[in-house]
Amino acid sequence: MSEPLPTSPPAVAAGAVARADAALGAAAVRDWLGARRLAFNRELSLAPGLDFAFAAESIAEPTQWRLQHDRHTLIVHLDGAMRRLDTRIEGAGRLRLPPAAGDLWLIPAGRQYRGEALGGDIAYAEFNIDPARFGPCRDAAAGLGARMKHRDPFVHGLAARLAGLSGAGDELAAMLREALGQALGLHLLREYAAGAAAHAAPPPQLAPIQRRRIEDYIRAHLEQPASDRPIRLAALAQIAGLSVHRLLIAFRAAFGASPIQYVLGERLRRVCLRLRESDQDIATIAVEAGFASHSHLSVAFKKRYGVSPREYRAGAG
């Protein structure tokens, strides 16, 4: 049995318990029977047609869930004990086993799901995927196969990472969330879609003019505070005339790095220049270069160069 990843939600102030009509997002059309006990809920849109939510809930009283809508739903159990879980997915049968950390349930679009649970406090992640709008899943014409209590370490780690990033407001965290959403889509396409691999399109490539336009766009935005003009994968994809998940493939082939790695490298190079040529305080340099804080810059800087920004400045003086 795998250990739960460190994804416990932050403390919620007394009286600030979240209440909602649906389990995770109003669009889920979930029929929750009885009083809700949702203690924490954070929702994000990762891409057009792909929504993520991270929640903690008490199931100390018997809890029943029902779900059926036109989107695929992927639920990943992250933490907490259940004494009993009885789940049914239309066309896939019934399972009476509680989850371990990392177990997932995949409910294909249009299928009915029913669950009955009893236990303690649990934390879980949920992805809602619109097959008509989310790029990778539009390629899976045969649809996704149902899963119950399925082990997938990649999805487990990805869900936990997104949970940890759900409260971060900086530009690089936003780009990483987008990239992780696309990675999930490609993983589902490869591992869970019937016959999708046999019809995969050839790897996309960037023409020289597309590459120049992307470089110009990134350079122009790096010269502005990240809070004013954040760089988004969707914008880069639009410039290249590709979907986001195909841009990620083509970008790595063209630049030898992911967009996030490339932007981070460019921002760190600009930080080095500012550290050498100005006496501006490091916290200001960090924020103006697109980092969330001085400490955020210090972690990234030391990982790349082996020294802190302060040590780099002292050595360059």
Side-chain angles (χ1 to χ4, degrees), residues 6-57:
T7 56
S8 299
V12 180
V17 175
R19 302 290 180 182
D21 293 333
L24 294 171
V29 194
R30 177 170 300 196
D31 178 16
W32 292 88
L33 307 181
R36 292 306 320 287
R37 291 170 293 278
L38 196 62
F40 175 81
N41 184 20
R42 180 170 286 145
E43 302 174 27
L44 298 167
S45 177
L46 302 179
L50 176 61
D51 297 321
F52 168 80
F54 168 48
E57 183 173 359

Side-chain angles (χ1 to χ4, degrees), residues 40-173:
F40 175 81
N41 184 20
R42 180 170 286 145
E43 302 174 27
L44 298 167
S45 177
L46 302 179
L50 176 61
D51 297 321
F52 168 80
F54 168 48
E57 183 173 359
S58 171
I59 55 170
E61 299 294 330
T63 303
Q64 299 182 44
W65 306 303
R66 293 179 184 173
L67 169 67
Q68 185 174 20
H69 54 64
D70 58 358
R71 289 173 300 284
H72 306 304
T73 302
L74 177 63
I75 302 168
V76 185
H77 183 74
L78 295 175
D79 202 354
M82 291 190 190
R83 294 197 298 276
R84 184 175 75 244
L85 178 63
D86 184 349
T87 52
R88 309 180 194 190
I89 299 178
E90 181 184 0
R94 179 178 185 176
L95 184 67
R96 293 176 173 174
L97 282 174
D103 286 349
L104 66 83
W105 274 250
L106 176 57
I107 303 103
R111 302 274 196 95
Q112 185 181 79
Y113 164 85
R114 293 188 179 188
E116 298 179 4
L118 180 66
D121 294 332
I122 60 172
Y124 55 100
E126 182 172 318
F127 299 88
N128 278 289
I129 304 161
D130 184 345
R133 297 179 60 220
F134 182 49
C137 289
R138 287 202 303 268
D139 298 331
L144 301 180
R147 297 288 191 279
M148 291 190 287
K149 194 175 166 57
H150 183 69
R151 302 296 298 169
D152 190 327
F154 177 81
V155 174
H156 181 201
L158 187 147
R161 185 72 176 110
L162 282 169
L165 288 168
S166 61
D170 61 280
E171 175 193 59
L172 293 173

